[in-house]
Amino acid sequence: MTDMTAGIPAAEGGARAPLDAAGMDPRLYNEDQLPTTAAERTWDWLAIAALWVGMVVCIPTYLLASYLINSGMSWDQAVLTILAANAIVLIPMVLLGHAGTKYGIPFPVLLRSSFGPSGAKIPAVARGIVACGWFGIQTWVGGSAIFVILNTLTGGALAGEALPVLGISLAEFVCFLAFWALHLYFIRNGTESIRWLETYAAPFLLLMGFALLAWAYFAAGGFGPMLSTPSAFDPGQPQEGQFWVVFWPSLTGMIGFWATLALNIPDFTRHAKSQKDQFLGQLVGLPIPMALFAFIASAVTSATIVIYGEAIWDPIQLAERMGGFSIIIALFALIVATLTTNLAANVVAPAHGFSNLAPSKINLKRGGYITAGIGIAMFPWVLVNHIVGWLIAYSALLGPIAGVMLADYYLLRKTKLEVKDLFRMDGIYSGRNGTNWAGVGALVIGILPNLPGFLAGVGITAGTSDFFATIYTYAWFVGLFVAGAAYLVLSKILNK
């Protein structure tokens, strides 16, 4: 059994307050959800920074810059937009990460403070479903890299017709399943195996990124030709004066990319040695590598115009064009990058979320297996074609969850939690029949302003007014502040 004194803030003199198992509802915990022990707090700031590098360096991150430049931005505007978005999302990352480090609890358990032990299942599963979608997309990307390697080495022998229903060839589907199965090894071996992978993969991935930049530099003849494409918003250009119209929805989309991790960051910071480690690790590991990798993507893609006569944004296609032994090195790096991102960002969170549905029956490992299964069922090779709209859409959901959690932990609780009561159906966080309706109500209120824009964005309605379209442009911000304010008001009314 896990040490029940774990994860409780150290009192004066360094002693830990005991957490007595008596009175804790066995339906609300398993060993994976109990506060981390002192022995499990092994992550220093370098380990947390490495975790972020491993998550940041991936193909979807590479493609973010392509989306911005295709929208008309120059390389520097794209990089600065991505840097700004990640500097903003770093704030809730660090603030919610504080709770994980202070109390040693994962995301679904922290949710119980604001939603109640039963109500917490709603946002935990909502976060988990989003992660399942990303898990499938990342697994499809990694499987595609494996397919390209094997197909190139066999002289195109694996190419084939698309299968009915699936819409992809048999070889592509087999490569996808092979990469999917690789994830199961790390799911079986738990969080510590993921930390080990991230720590050793981070320097390798950074090295590969700089190697790709160096190749583009010499092949294109320097940074001058590589970075010469002007902004479409400059005077005399096709989209003159329209920068801010494109910037704000783009910023929201870029925030949405990591808004998922902004919620469940306690899943990782609960393993941090100290608040300094979780803060410094995230500060070093998130915004700077994101901007750096966006610059590499922009520069390398611009170089492909000089080298090949066309812009090649997909790194898998680029590796294929490079040919020779370099394709194997490049695509091996892509596989490692995709694996590290997927395990940390898209397995741990939904595994905890699904475990929270029935902790006595679903542990972290089984939750990971459920995630892997749903990831296949979502047909990620179809979903991948709708990433940008999806980013804004789910930011409209995740922003309100973050708003409720931040308002609860900092403004209502003043960072003080009774950990034992988080594991009780009749504790101080139980609300009515296990649900804190202030949290659920605030979540609904936070979503409502963005609903008309969402329905229009996904094609369910023909359109919406300019007012709601503008609100939807700022979906994450609107949801966060509206839900946070609503939670404080509803808490006074419903939870006297």
Side-chain angles (χ1 to χ4, degrees), residues 335-385:
I335 291 170
V336 173
T338 305
L339 182 64
T340 56
T341 301
N342 222 11
L343 287 168
N346 304 318
V347 171
V348 175
H352 273 298
F354 295 133
S355 175
N356 192 56
L357 288 175
S360 61
K361 298 178 181 178
I362 305 174
N363 59 16
L364 195 60
K365 187 184 300 183
R366 289 174 183 166
Y369 292 148
I370 293 172
T371 300
I374 295 176
I376 291 181
M378 294 180 77
F379 277 47
W381 46 89
V382 177
L383 191 61
V384 71
N385 297 318

Side-chain angles (χ1 to χ4, degrees), residues 176-235:
F176 167 76
L177 288 180
F179 190 55
W180 175 85
L182 181 60
H183 289 78
L184 299 185
Y185 168 82
F186 290 95
I187 291 174
R188 186 184 67 189
N189 286 280
T191 307
E192 193 60 21
S193 70
I194 296 175
R195 183 189 71 85
W196 175 88
L197 176 66
E198 302 286 349
T199 300
Y200 286 97
F204 168 73
L205 294 174
L206 288 175
L207 179 62
M208 288 296 100
F210 283 118
L212 184 61
L213 183 63
W215 167 82
Y217 176 87
F218 289 109
F223 284 122
M226 291 169 61
L227 304 175
S228 59
T229 304
S231 169
F233 310 115
D234 289 346

Side-chain angles (χ1 to χ4, degrees), residues 223-309:
F223 284 122
M226 291 169 61
L227 304 175
S228 59
T229 304
S231 169
F233 310 115
D234 289 346
Q237 296 299 321
Q239 295 172 258
E240 179 180 350
Q242 299 178 33
F243 174 76
W244 296 110
V245 175
V246 174
F247 171 79
W248 288 112
S250 298
L251 183 71
T252 301
M254 298 306 105
I255 289 173
F257 189 69
W258 287 125
T260 50
L261 262 293
L263 294 181
N264 74 285
I265 194 64
D267 292 342
F268 300 103
T269 59
R270 66 195 293 246
H271 297 282
K273 292 181 177 180
S274 68
Q275 294 291 355
K276 179 181 178 182
D277 285 304
Q278 76 95 1
F279 172 73
L280 189 59
Q282 295 202 78
L283 180 65
V284 172
L286 174 58
I288 298 173
M290 277 291 291
L292 175 63
F293 201 53
F295 168 73
I296 291 174
S298 303
V300 171
T301 303
S302 298
T304 60
I305 300 176
V306 178
I307 300 167
Y308 299 114

Side-chain angles (χ1 to χ4, degrees), residues 59 140-150 316 331 334-335:
I59 293 175
W140 166 246
V141 166
S144 298
I146 294 174
F147 172 78
V148 169
I149 290 176
L150 297 179
I316 295 177
L331 290 178
L334 290 178
I335 291 170

